Amino acid sequence: MEETGRIVRYKSLERLSQTGFFVTGHHCFDYLESMLLHLTRGGGKGALETLGPLSKNRFLPLVFLEDHELYEAYQSLTNLYPIFEDESNVDQSYKRNRIRSQILPNLVSEGMNAYRTYWNFHEWEEFTDKDLADGNSPSVDYLKLSDTNWNKLSRAKRKIWIDSHLKMMDLPPLYRNQWDEILSQENNTKIRWESSKLIIYKVKGKDLYLLRKDSRLFQTPKLLQNQGSYYIEWNRETREIPSLSNEYTISTCQAGDRIQYRWGKKELSEIMRELQIPEPIRRFIPILRTEDTLLIVFLSMFDKSLKDIHSEFS
């Protein structure tokens, strides 16, 4: 329930944002709560790195304030904006509330400094005005991990390998029970595991993909017009396309789609499978088409090493 509410809340903030970035009021004491909560649930070293200062497009300005500065800022904010207390915050049936009310005060009385503890386990990389203007994010949308390396590593080392790549994506490491779920699929034709933030996808004998669910990979392509020219926008890429008439449309892969490919017509889903495009992404790749003919499939907008498929009729 808590995770579902968080997803809905962040999606709403993202829609309201003019830049794609938004801020939340998390501070260093919230970090201590979350860290201890994760540790009691069996979290590893990734629990110490939770609540990063900038995670994809969510910025936490209050983590830059020391403990005494946070109190002063809170007093100033209450004079400017109404601050609403969630009534569930006093409910001691929730572990987070028990940590906040019973454990944290004791740690602070013993000399624990929330600000210093937070920055012992976090780093801050500043981004330029151009980065923000371009809508860039520090997070990586997806990573592809070699099947050769997968086969060389033991099960324990595979987890370390995946966790290190998840860190590059600003995602937490896998819990032991999550890793066990993934390993339980190891003898299947394919592995597909997902959480609220991540999809892990691997076909037997092929490379493994780590896919962020909140990335632009999972957004519908947009058709844009500027001064008589037409463009497709998807996955942080913008591609100019031929002049459109009323018979041309932009869509994504539909069941049964076929395209003139090499020596004959072939199902697009089969082509994507052969090119190792992960199944969760296939239905988002942009296609220029008429009502009954696929003209261009923009595979390079997903992976620059791939060539777009041009029908002989395009």
Side-chain angles (χ1 to χ4, degrees):
M1 181 69 74
E2 183 181 6
E3 179 67 12
T4 301
R6 183 182 299 110
I7 293 169
V8 172
R9 187 163 64 250
Y10 289 169
K11 289 292 184 184
S12 298
L13 289 170
E14 190 170 346
R15 284 195 298 270
L16 290 169
S17 171
Q18 298 295 316
T19 63
F21 287 82
F22 59 89
V23 302
T24 62
H26 294 94
H27 45 71
C28 294
F29 287 97
D30 289 326
Y31 160 73
L32 291 182
E33 289 175 15
S34 296
M35 176 188 70
L36 293 171
L37 187 64
H38 290 317
L39 290 175
T40 61
R41 291 173 174 171
K45 62 180 182 180
L48 304 175
E49 299 169 349
T50 189
L51 283 181
L54 182 61
S55 178
K56 191 170 174 57
N57 53 357
R58 183 192 66 183
F59 178 53
L60 310 183
L62 297 184
V63 298
F64 293 89
L65 300 179
E66 296 196 37
D67 296 2
H68 67 281
E69 294 173 328
L70 179 65
Y71 176 76
E72 294 168 3
Y74 182 82
Q75 293 298 107
S76 300
L77 284 171
T78 54
N79 296 328
L80 293 172
Y81 305 103
I83 294 179
F84 301 95
E85 185 73 19
D86 189 327
E87 62 184 17
S88 69
N89 285 348
V90 297
D91 188 343
Q92 294 297 297
S93 64
Y94 294 106
K95 184 185 288 187
R96 179 181 291 275
N97 293 341
R98 296 195 298 273
I99 290 173
R100 180 187 302 125
S101 63
Q102 300 173 26
I103 298 177
L104 284 187
N106 289 328
L107 293 176
V108 171
S109 68
E110 292 293 336
M112 189 172 204
N113 182 292
Y115 175 85
R116 190 162 56 242
T117 304
Y118 179 89
W119 287 107
N120 281 340
F121 299 103
H122 294 86
E123 296 178 353
W124 171 243
E125 295 181 13
E126 294 189 41
F127 292 87
T128 65
D129 291 340
K130 183 179 184 303
D131 288 329
L132 297 177
D134 292 343
N136 290 339
S137 163
S139 299
V140 178
D141 288 338
Y142 80 93
L143 288 173
K144 181 166 66 172
L145 280 60
S146 161
D147 176 65
T148 303
N149 290 337
W150 172 270
N151 291 325
K152 286 180 179 178
L153 298 173
S154 67
R155 288 187 167 192
K157 288 183 178 178
R158 284 177 188 174
K159 183 178 185 303
I160 296 171
W161 184 50
I162 289 178
D163 285 346
S164 67
H165 285 79
L166 291 176
K167 183 176 182 180
M168 296 178 201
M169 300 174 72
D170 293 332
L171 292 172
L174 296 168
Y175 290 123
R176 174 56 59 185
N177 64 323
Q178 294 173 330
W179 180 236
D180 289 342
E181 288 175 21
I182 293 167
L183 290 180
S184 70
Q185 303 179 50
E186 191 174 12
N187 294 325
N188 298 347
T189 305
K190 66 182 177 184
I191 294 172
R192 176 165 179 161
W193 178 89
E194 63 182 284
S195 66
S196 61
K197 297 180 181 179
L198 172 71
I199 295 177
I200 294 180
Y201 182 84
K202 186 182 188 309
V203 173
K204 199 174 188 66
K206 306 295 183 182
D207 295 336
L208 180 145
Y209 282 87
L210 304 174
L211 306 162
R212 289 188 69 102
K213 290 179 71 173
D214 60 357
S215 74
R216 299 183 190 184
L217 285 168
F218 294 99
Q219 294 181 357
T220 302
K222 296 179 181 178
L223 177 62
L224 308 175
Q225 183 179 7
N226 183 24
Q227 298 180 347
S229 297
Y230 291 87
Y231 303 86
I232 297 175
E233 184 179 86
W234 179 70
N235 188 31
R236 307 181 191 274
E237 296 279 336
T238 302
R239 187 69 52 82
E240 186 172 5
I241 57 177
S243 298
L244 292 181
S245 66
N246 291 334
E247 61 180 309
Y248 290 170
T249 59
I250 296 298
S251 73
T252 53
C253 186
Q254 310 296 318
D257 272 346
R258 299 169 67 86
I259 190 169
Q260 193 69 27
Y261 185 67
R262 296 178 179 169
W263 300 284
K265 279 201 168 184
K266 192 168 184 177
E267 283 210 11
L268 184 55
S269 60
E270 178 68 11
I271 297 172
M272 291 188 178
R273 184 188 65 78
E274 291 174 355
L275 294 173
Q276 292 194 48
I277 296 174
E279 188 178 323
I281 301 300
R282 295 174 195 170
R283 63 188 180 91
F284 292 95
I285 292 176
I287 299 170
L288 177 67
R289 68 194 301 159
T290 63
E291 184 177 351
D292 55 3
T293 304
L294 276 61
L295 302 176
I296 306 175
V297 183
F298 294 92
L299 298 179
S300 63
M301 294 183 76
F302 166 62
D303 184 338
K304 288 184 173 60
S305 68
L306 298 173
K307 294 182 178 180
D308 296 335
I309 300 175
H310 293 258
S311 166
E312 65 178 34
F313 301 114
S314 61

